Amino acid sequence: MGVVKYSYSRVDTYGKCPWKYKLKYEDLVYIESNTLALELGTLVHWIEEHISYALMKGETPDYDALREDFYNIENPKTHPQDMDNGQFGINILKEKYPSDFYSVDENGQSYATRCEWYAKEGIYRQEKFMKEHPNYQLFDVEKYFEFTFEGHILKGYIDRIWYDTQTHQYIIDDIKTKNKFFKEEETKTPMQHCIYAMALKSALGLFTEPTLFFYDLPFVNARQPIGTMGCINRAKKKLKALFDGIETPCEDQWKPSPSPLCYYCEFGGLNPKQPAEGRRLCPYYSMWKPGTKFTGEVLNEWKGMSKHEEVMDHYLNEQCNNGQTTKIFDLSNF
């Protein structure tokens, strides 16, 4: 086995649920699980990236061509883990996810209305931002990085990096297609941005890590400042703890963390839209469903790795076949 290189998403998976980490990265179970949010995020990233490339060269982006792509591009992946392709326009996505595309949120908007706004106005946001901040230069876009942290290689891509010619500071943007601002507790120590800051310090030979972080939110038409004083040091401590968990064998090394995220997980068992092939791999998922209160109820309690086979046998032989999850695993429904 070659040298392991950790992406932010890989480390974050362990932080969210060690059992999911085990299935994906230790057992190497790959199950593609697409949602409208993920596919639309990929599309908008692709459009924003190409706008940035044109602006970096001092050119006017071809907005008509990009708008056409936003509506109609059909660029499938060449293989399941292809990271360069996989962009589909909203005319394709709205047919693939009709209920999600037109569903109205608490603000009275839908993906349909947000996409129409982006195509007409939001697509010009980057150029407008640069005119309003003439001291900002686009330093790099989709910047690949590798650096070593505590003996571990971290790798990834930074969405967008600005350079302030007045203050000589680097500003890190991460593009998110959320329909609202992130909550305060999610922004105090943004691990993703802190990893990017460490990567930038390493790549550019900076004296210290940049600390100006933003979520760029095209569908909110805003850039949300994130990170608080000391977030880099807090992120380093958390990152070290995550690696310790990943690499230290013990009874609870892969202890699941059931949460509402289980409903959207490719290994969760309650969401009929999730891939059927993943649902027999996790007997510990949360029983939460959208529209209900999260009570902490789970299908099976974790009893330690030494008891996993016993729990799994019960899950497969009784719950999946004869009990409360029978309808979930009726593959004729898919």
Side-chain angles (χ1 to χ4, degrees):
M1 183 176 179
V3 176
V4 176
K5 296 181 180 181
Y6 293 87
S7 64
Y8 161 74
S9 61
R10 178 170 179 159
V11 176
D12 185 58
T13 296
Y14 187 84
K16 286 187 170 69
C17 181
W19 186 255
K20 181 175 181 177
Y21 181 96
K22 178 185 183 301
L23 292 175
K24 289 189 67 171
Y25 300 108
E26 296 292 318
D27 300 343
L28 303 180
V29 178
Y30 180 80
I31 296 174
E32 189 169 19
S33 177
N34 286 326
T35 64
L36 175 59
L38 287 174
E39 296 208 58
L40 190 55
T42 298
L43 174 65
V44 172
H45 272 77
W46 190 87
I47 297 293
E48 291 287 312
E49 176 185 347
H50 283 77
I51 292 171
S52 293
Y53 283 139
L55 294 173
M56 286 175 67
K57 293 186 290 186
E59 300 174 355
T60 299
D62 188 343
Y63 290 114
D64 289 337
L66 289 168
R67 189 177 291 107
E68 172 65 21
D69 285 337
F70 183 66
Y71 280 106
N72 295 310
I73 190 172
E74 188 171 1
N75 185 22
K77 292 184 176 184
T78 56
H79 54 80
Q81 298 188 53
D82 178 5
M83 300 300 292
D84 296 322
N85 302 307
Q87 301 86 18
F88 295 93
I90 61 172
N91 283 336
I92 297 172
L93 296 180
K94 70 182 181 182
E95 297 297 325
K96 188 175 181 180
Y97 306 98
S99 60
D100 293 333
F101 190 77
Y102 293 104
S103 177
V104 176
D105 62 22
E106 64 272 19
N107 298 317
Q109 294 188 328
S110 64
Y111 277 118
T113 57
R114 289 190 290 270
C115 286
E116 285 301 313
W117 175 85
Y118 180 79
K120 293 177 181 178
E121 300 181 45
I123 201 169
Y124 302 107
R125 290 176 63 251
Q126 257 190 93
E127 187 174 6
K128 181 180 178 182
F129 178 80
M130 293 183 71
K131 289 177 180 178
E132 293 172 347
H133 300 80
N135 52 309
Y136 275 27
Q137 293 180 349
L138 272 167
F139 179 76
D140 211 339
V141 179
E142 288 296 311
K143 179 176 177 58
Y144 180 77
F145 66 82
E146 284 189 19
F147 74 100
T148 301
F149 172 84
E150 300 273 340
H152 304 91
I153 299 176
L154 285 157
K155 66 167 187 175
Y157 293 87
I158 304 174
D159 284 351
R160 185 188 296 132
I161 305 167
W162 300 96
Y163 180 69
D164 188 331
T165 57
Q166 289 185 353
T167 65
H168 304 292
Q169 291 179 296
Y170 293 93
I171 300 100
I172 298 173
D173 276 3
D174 191 63
I175 302 167
K176 300 292 186 187
T177 49
K178 282 173 67 75
N179 64 342
K180 56 188 174 182
F181 289 100
F182 284 80
K183 297 177 182 177
E184 183 179 354
E185 59 265 27
E186 299 176 293
T187 64
K188 291 181 179 179
T189 307
M191 178 66 76
Q192 188 171 15
H193 287 76
C194 291
I195 289 175
Y196 292 167
M198 288 184 263
L200 209 54
K201 177 189 175 186
S202 174
L204 302 181
L206 303 177
F207 180 72
T208 189
E209 293 89 354
T211 56
L212 291 176
F213 307 147
F214 291 83
Y215 280 127
D216 185 40
L217 305 169
F219 287 163
V220 183
N221 192 24
R223 294 172 75 243
Q224 181 180 4
I226 59 174
T228 57
M229 185 176 295
C231 66
I232 297 289
N233 288 333
R234 293 195 300 274
K236 289 178 179 179
K237 289 180 181 178
K238 182 177 179 181
L239 195 55
K240 184 179 185 305
L242 291 173
F243 279 125
D244 287 345
I246 291 170
E247 297 184 338
T248 306
C250 67
E251 185 72 357
D252 287 336
Q253 181 182 16
W254 311 120
K255 183 178 180 179
S257 300
S259 74
L261 293 176
C262 293
Y263 187 81
Y264 305 99
C265 175
E266 61 267 39
F267 305 113
L270 291 184
N271 185 350
K273 294 182 180 180
Q274 294 301 85
E277 61 269 28
R279 297 184 201 161
R280 291 182 178 267
L281 300 175
C282 177
Y284 307 108
Y285 55 80
S286 166
M287 300 301 288
W288 178 89
K289 291 183 179 181
T292 65
K293 182 179 179 180
F294 178 66
T295 63
E297 180 187 2
V298 295
L299 185 64
N300 293 283
E301 295 285 348
W302 171 256
K303 298 179 180 179
M305 200 62 207
S306 61
K307 296 287 186 179
H308 171 64
E309 286 191 20
E310 178 183 316
V311 174
M312 200 68 182
D313 285 344
H314 170 70
Y315 176 59
L316 294 175
N317 295 326
E318 297 184 36
Q319 293 174 318
C320 290
N321 296 327
N322 303 313
Q324 56 191 305
T325 59
T326 299
K327 292 183 180 179
I328 297 170
F329 290 99
D330 179 0
L331 300 187
S332 66
N333 292 330
F334 298 94

